[in-house]
C-alpha cells in the first residue's frame, strides 16, 4: 500500500541481534486458493491499532487477513519494525492469536516503505531460504509481494524474485503467490505490466494480481467506479501477457475513507465494488487497512491517517461492507 504505514526505519544490526531467537512456528494457515473468492484485508502489524484485527476476526467474521509488511534487509527477511521473521516478539504472537481464532494469514512482502527480499539480496539461495522461513515460521501457504516505488521499475530483481518463487511453489505444494501493484483507473503502469512479463519469463503464473485502487492523483472522482474501471483494465493487461488469466486471478484493494490524494472511498463505493467483484468472480477483495477501519477521534476530517479512515463510520464498517 502507499504511505500510511509504519516507516521501515533503522535497519540496525543491534535490533536484529537483540531478536536473534526464532520463535516456534504458528499453526498451519491455509489461505484459499486463487479462484475461490477471498476477502483478505491488510493489517499493518505494528502501528498501534492491531487490536482491530482481533475484533474483525472474532466479531465481524474475517477469515483471512494480509499481514504487512516483511521487508528485505540485505539477505535477511525482517518485519518493518526491524525485528526478524520468526523472532518478532510483538508480531509473532498477534499472528498466532489470529490463527488460533481460526483466521488464515497471507504474509505481504515489501510495501511503500521497503523492498521485498528478492530486491535487496542477489543470492537466490538466500532469498529462497528467507521466504521459506516465512512459510515455516507462520505455517502459511500464501505470500504477497507489494511492489511499488522504485521496486516496480526494477525488472532484474523482479525476475530473480519470481524465479525463486517458482522453485518455492514446487517445493511447497499449494503455495500461492500474489503481486500487489499500483494502478490508475486506466490500469497498470507500463512498469506494472513489465512485472507480469517478468513473472512469465521466469515460468511463473501469478495466482493473484492485486490492483491497488487508490491514490490516483487525478482529482475528485467516483472512487467506486474508478476501482471497477481499474480492475477491468488490469485484467485486460493481464490477459495480454497470459491469456489464461481470468477474474479469478484479479484482486482489488481500495484504501478506505480518505486517500493520500484527498479523494474519498466511501461506504457506498465499498458496496458498489463488492457487488461488481461478486458478480464477476473476482478472486480477492481486500482493503487498506483494518487498522484504519474506524472513525477518527473527534469525528471525520483532518486528512488521511494511518489509524482511522477520515470519514464518519462505525468501527469496521468497511470490513463489513466488503466482506
Amino acid at each position: 500500500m502507499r504511505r500510511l504505514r509504519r516507516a521501515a526505519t533503522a535497519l540496525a544490526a543491534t535490533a536484529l541481534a537483540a531478536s536473534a531467537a526464532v520463535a516456534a512456528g504458528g499453526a498451519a494457515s491455509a489461505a484459499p486458493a486463487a479462484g475461490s473468492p477471498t476477502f483478505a484485508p491488510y493489517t499493518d502489524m505494528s502501528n498501534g491499532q492491531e487490536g482491530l484485527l482481533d475484533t474483525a476476526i472474532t466479531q465481524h467474521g474475517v477469515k483471512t487477513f494480509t499481514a504487512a509488511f516483511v521487508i528485505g534487509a540485505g539477505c535477511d527477511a525482517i518485519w518493518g519494525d526491524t525485528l526478524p521473521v520468526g523472532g518478532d516478539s510483538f508480531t509473532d504472537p498477534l499472528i498466532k492469536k489470529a490463527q488460533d481464532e481460526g483466521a488464515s494469514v497471507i504474509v505481504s512482502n515489501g510495501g511503500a516503505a521497503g523492498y521485498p527480499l528478492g530486491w535487496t539480496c542477489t543470492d537466490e539461495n538466500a532469498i529462497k531460504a528467507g521466504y521459506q522461513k516465512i512459510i515455516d515460521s507462520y505455517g502459511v501457504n500464501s505470500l504477497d509481494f507489494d511492489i511499488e516505488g522504485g521496486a516496480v521499475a526494477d525488472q532484474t530483481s523482479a525476475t530473480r524474485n519470481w524465479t525463486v518463487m517458482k522453485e518455492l511453489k514446487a517445493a511447497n505444494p499449494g503455495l500461492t503467490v500474489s503481486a500487489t501493484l499500483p494502478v490508475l483507473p486506466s490500469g497498470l503502469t507500463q512498469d506494472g505490466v513489465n512485472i507480469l512479463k517478468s513473472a512469465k519469463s521466469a515460468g511463473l503464473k501469478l495466482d493473484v494480481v492485486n490492483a491497488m485502487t487508490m491514490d490516483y492523483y487525478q482529482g475528485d472522482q467516483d472512487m467506486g467506479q474508478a476501482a471497477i474501471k481499474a480492475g477491468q483494465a488490469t485484467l485486460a493487461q493481464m490477459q495480454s501477457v497470459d491469456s489464461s488469466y481470468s477474474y479469478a486471478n484479479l484482486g482489488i484493494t481500495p484504501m478506505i475513507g480518505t486517500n493520500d490524494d484527498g479523494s474519498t472511498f466511501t461506504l457506498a463505493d465499498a458496496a458498489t465494488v463488492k457487488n461488481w467483484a461478486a458478480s464477476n468472480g473476482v478472486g480477492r477483495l481486500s482493503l487498506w487497512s483494518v487498522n484504519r477501519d474506524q472513525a477518527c477521534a473527534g469525528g471525520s476530517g483532518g486528512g488521511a491517517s494511518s489509524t482511522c479512515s477520515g470519514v464518519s463510520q462505525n468501527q469496521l464498517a468497511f470490513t463489513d461492507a466488503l466482506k
Side-chain angles (χ1 to χ4, degrees), residues 219-243:
D220 189 31
Q221 59 186 302
D222 184 322
M223 291 295 281
Q225 290 301 319
I228 291 171
K229 291 177 183 177
Q232 292 168 331
T234 297
L235 178 61
Q237 292 167 309
M238 292 162 59
Q239 291 176 332
S240 72
V241 174
D242 184 337
S243 62

Side-chain angles (χ1 to χ4, degrees), residues 30 95 100 119 154 172 190 195 231 256 269:
I95 292 176
D100 289 345
W119 274 256
D154 184 350
N172 297 270
Q190 186 57 52
I195 290 288
I256 59 175
D269 293 328

Side-chain angles (χ1 to χ4, degrees), residues 256-273:
I256 59 175
T258 304
N259 283 222
D260 296 289
D261 65 358
S263 58
T264 302
F265 184 87
T266 67
L267 285 166
D269 293 328
T272 297
V273 170

Side-chain angles (χ1 to χ4, degrees), residues 19-307:
S19 302
V22 176
S29 175
S36 175
T38 302
F39 177 60
Y42 282 81
T43 299
D44 186 331
M45 298 308 296
S46 62
N47 86 337
Q49 297 295 316
E50 299 81 12
L52 282 175
L53 173 62
D54 185 69
T55 303
I57 293 168
T58 59
Q59 300 180 33
H60 292 257
V62 169
K63 302 298 183 185
T64 304
F65 71 100
T66 306
F69 289 97
V70 170
I71 63 176
C75 288
D76 293 317
I78 65 174
W79 286 100
D81 57 8
T82 76
L83 298 179
V85 164
D88 189 323
S89 59
F90 184 78
T91 297
D92 290 6
L94 290 174
I95 292 176
K96 180 63 163 58
K97 182 177 183 181
Q99 291 172 320
D100 289 345
E101 291 169 343
S104 61
V105 57
I106 300 167
V107 174
S108 186
N109 299 264
Y115 287 1
L117 188 61
W119 274 256
T120 64
C121 180
T122 59
D123 183 336
E124 291 190 9
N125 288 330
I127 297 167
K128 186 189 303 184
Y131 291 148
Q132 186 67 54
K133 188 174 183 180
I134 297 173
I135 295 167
D136 295 341
S137 294
Y138 306 112
V140 299
N141 72 350
S142 190
L143 296 180
D144 175 56
F145 294 89
D146 185 314
I147 306 167
E148 50 187 301
V152 75
D154 184 350
Q155 300 304 315
T156 299
S157 294
T159 300
R160 179 170 57 242
N161 195 74
W162 302 140
T163 299
V164 169
M165 291 314 302
K166 179 184 179 183
E167 296 173 0
L168 281 174
K169 281 176 73 76
N172 297 270
L175 179 67
T176 64
V177 179
S178 56
T180 295
L181 298 166
V183 298
L184 296 171
S186 56
L188 296 163
T189 65
Q190 186 57 52
D191 283 337
V193 173
N194 290 340
I195 290 288
L196 305 187
K197 291 180 177 179
S198 68
K200 184 174 182 179
S201 70
L204 174 72
K205 180 180 178 179
L206 295 164
D207 295 289
V208 174
V209 177
N210 183 28
M212 290 189 283
T213 55
M214 60 183 81
D215 284 344
Y216 305 122
Y217 288 91
Q218 294 183 343
D220 189 31
Q221 59 186 302
D222 184 322
M223 291 295 281
Q225 290 301 319
I228 291 171
K229 291 177 183 177
Q232 292 168 331
T234 297
L235 178 61
Q237 292 167 309
M238 292 162 59
Q239 291 176 332
S240 72
V241 174
D242 184 337
S243 62
S244 69
Y245 279 124
S246 71
Y247 272 116
N249 303 109
L250 178 69
I252 299 291
T253 300
M255 180 174 172
I256 59 175
T258 304
N259 283 222
D260 296 289
D261 65 358
S263 58
T264 302
F265 184 87
T266 67
L267 285 166
D269 293 328
T272 297
V273 170
K274 177 184 176 179
N275 290 338
W276 171 79
S279 64
N280 286 279
V282 169
R284 184 180 297 172
L285 197 56
S286 186
L287 59 82
W288 181 263
S289 65
V290 170
N291 316 65
R292 302 181 68 249
D293 199 357
Q294 59 184 344
C296 299
S300 62
S305 167
S306 62
T307 58

